[in-house]
Amino acid sequence: MEFVTNLTEEEYETFVKNHEKSHFMQSYYWGEVMKKKHFTPYYVGLKKNDKLVATALLLFKELKLGYGYFYSPRGYIIDFNDKKLLETFTNEIKEYAKSKKAIFVKIDPDIKRYDLDPEGNILSKETKILKTLSDLGYKHTGFNKEFTNEQPRFTFRLDLNRDFEDVYNGIHATSRKILNKGNQYEFNIYKGDVDDVKYFYQTMKETAQRENLGCNPIEYYKHFFKVLHKHNMSDLYVVKLDVKKLKKVYKQKLDDIETRLVNLDKNTKVNPKKQENRKNEIIIEKNKVLKDIAELDKIKEEEITLSSIMTCKYNDKVWTVHGGNATALRNLNANYITYFNIIKDAHEEGYKKIDFFGCSGDANPDKSSSIYGLHNFKKRLGGEYHEFIGEFDLITNKLIYDMYHVYVIVRKKIKQLRK
């Protein structure tokens, strides 16, 4: 077999995109995206009889004193069940990493640990690939449950390879109840271009501040979208609200409520107690609308962005990678409309799965948890609860690796203290 380091874009993409383990983070163009985060991409592969049998996008991050490390996100693109092939490729990559002064190679393969039901119950045996990687010298970094890895270790993946009616019926009844109301607030829903990234970024910043999450500079998101959209690998969904239109909707709601109250008072045939209970329910509904109007009156803009998501599309899957929701008027559930349109479009375009890109490793988080709302929202979209096997480090320089590992731990603790 021949280890190759000079793969062309066409040769590399043809192999990756058609492989069963294909992933947008192993695409040629993801390497271009990650240049914005100061990674240098290398595209390597293994050939047998002049035909590719494995590839890897290796992202090099430079450290001090000329050293660095490689990261192969969701890599490699290889048959992990073929231990001999994996061993050969591992040995070649290890030698290549040494030649580049990389102290380790990190991978986090797109491989399930085992099958789970939505409540986190284990339905199958653990994959043997965990042991295979350990046997080949990879160090497993642990089974964390939160967002501490480079990529989420848990997610929900929705099967689209069926009639859309089945997809829709698989959504939780609570979410369907919201979706069944349709676009009652007359949102403007559209796929944007790079000029719309500024609206997307507003929702990202608000979500990051509200949920204490990280947020990249706007330049990164513009670069992300430009690079991937050029190759039909990303869509930008934007949901906007015309404030004047919503005020009209609320006025109509109030008029309908007042009409119901008048008609209720006129109806003398209803049991007085039942009539009183029904009247109280309507008054509660009225007060809620009045509260919403008061919140709306605080908004000075004529139009605001309520929700926005950037997707990645590759081979037969769609990922909802980056997204946010405005803090104002969250009760309008604009995020449900956003996700529903992504699901509908992906199904119409022939994609087989949607990955909602990250959830809690706690299948039933406590309501007090910051991750509770996000986890349950994605859970109710009807996808399979998915646990990946996690991160592995292939160490090439143990002394410096151990020093680097200590440095990372100390840096994380300092950041936590600052927060």
Side-chain angles (χ1 to χ4, degrees), residues 8 24 30 51 70 74 76 114 120 148 207 287 305 323 332 334:
T8 65
F24 77 91
W30 189 248
K51 183 179 179 181
F70 276 126
R74 293 303 188 219
Y76 314 118
Y114 30 48
T148 56
T207 301
N287 289 336
T305 304
L332 301 186

Side-chain angles (χ1 to χ4, degrees), residues 36 194-202 204-205 215-225 310:
K36 198 70 175 177
V194 71
D195 291 332
D196 292 289
V197 174
K198 59 180 177 287
Y199 304 121
F200 158 85
Y201 192 60
Q202 290 173 6
M204 277 295 299
K205 284 195 301 182
C215 182
N216 293 299
I218 190 172
E219 290 75 18
Y220 169 76
Y221 297 111
K222 285 182 178 179
H223 179 70
F224 174 104
F225 184 71
M310 277 187 188

Side-chain angles (χ1 to χ4, degrees), residues 94-345:
K94 193 169 185 177
E95 291 305 311
Y96 184 69
K98 287 178 181 178
S99 73
K100 297 292 184 181
K101 295 189 73 174
I103 60 176
F104 66 94
V105 179
K106 182 180 290 294
I107 64 171
D108 47 15
D110 185 354
I111 296 171
K112 286 196 296 184
R113 184 181 178 189
Y114 30 48
D115 295 331
L116 299 172
D117 70 11
E119 304 307 312
N121 298 306
I122 299 171
L123 305 176
S124 68
K125 292 182 178 180
E126 189 174 66
T127 176
K128 294 179 180 178
I129 294 173
L130 272 162
K131 184 178 184 307
T132 299
L133 289 168
S134 178
D135 290 344
L136 294 177
Y138 290 87
K139 178 185 176 182
H140 190 238
T141 62
F143 295 117
N144 68 293
K145 289 191 172 184
E146 300 304 333
F147 295 86
T148 56
N149 283 8
E150 293 288 341
Q151 308 305 329
R153 210 175 68 79
F154 291 83
T155 191
F156 283 101
R157 279 185 171 174
L158 179 63
D159 177 21
L160 300 177
N161 195 26
R162 48 192 169 138
D163 291 341
F164 189 73
E165 184 179 357
D166 291 338
V167 175
Y168 189 75
N169 288 336
I171 296 173
H172 192 276
T174 303
S175 298
R176 286 205 314 273
K177 185 177 180 181
I178 294 169
L179 294 173
N180 287 340
K181 294 177 181 178
N183 189 9
Q184 61 175 325
Y185 300 111
E186 299 185 39
F187 297 134
N188 177 20
I189 310 154
Y190 65 95
K191 288 183 182 180
D193 56 28
V194 71
D195 291 332
D196 292 289
V197 174
K198 59 180 177 287
Y199 304 121
F200 158 85
Y201 192 60
Q202 290 173 6
T203 66
M204 277 295 299
K205 284 195 301 182
E206 288 190 39
T207 301
Q209 291 169 0
R210 187 175 65 245
E211 307 292 346
N212 195 26
L213 300 172
C215 182
N216 293 299
I218 190 172
E219 290 75 18
Y220 169 76
Y221 297 111
K222 285 182 178 179
H223 179 70
F224 174 104
F225 184 71
K226 281 181 181 178
V227 171
L228 298 183
H229 189 65
K230 179 182 177 181
H231 299 283
N232 192 34
M233 282 179 62
S234 182
D235 287 319
L236 172 58
Y237 286 80
V238 182
V239 177
K240 290 187 176 181
L241 171 71
D242 184 314
V243 176
K244 286 184 179 179
K245 278 187 178 180
L246 183 58
K247 286 182 176 179
K248 289 180 180 179
V249 170
Y250 278 148
K251 184 180 183 305
Q252 183 60 53
K253 277 193 172 188
L254 278 179
D255 290 344
D256 291 343
I257 288 170
E258 292 296 344
T259 300
R260 279 188 283 153
L261 285 171
V262 170
N263 290 338
L264 189 64
D265 287 336
K266 289 180 179 178
N267 191 348
T268 57
K269 295 181 180 180
V270 180
N271 178 284
K273 186 167 182 61
K274 286 185 177 180
Q275 188 177 36
E276 185 66 24
N277 289 338
R278 182 60 186 139
K279 187 173 183 179
N280 288 335
E281 289 173 0
I282 296 175
I283 289 172
I284 289 171
E285 184 183 348
K286 178 181 178 180
N287 289 336
K288 184 179 180 301
V289 174
L290 289 171
K291 183 180 178 182
D292 290 341
I293 291 173
E295 184 178 356
L296 195 62
D297 286 339
K298 296 175 185 177
I299 299 172
K300 304 305 177 185
E301 298 87 351
E302 293 184 358
E303 183 180 61
I304 61 171
T305 304
L306 293 182
S307 177
S308 186
I309 289 177
M310 277 187 188
T311 66
C312 275
K313 307 185 295 182
Y314 198 69
N315 194 1
D316 61 352
K317 295 185 187 70
V318 176
W319 289 261
T320 53
V321 181
H322 297 300
N325 299 296
T327 300
L329 304 173
R330 290 171 67 197
N331 60 302
L332 301 186
N333 296 314
N335 54 329
Y336 284 83
I337 302 296
T338 315
Y339 271 85
F340 177 71
N341 276 268
I342 293 171
I343 293 169
K344 181 167 61 69
D345 289 350

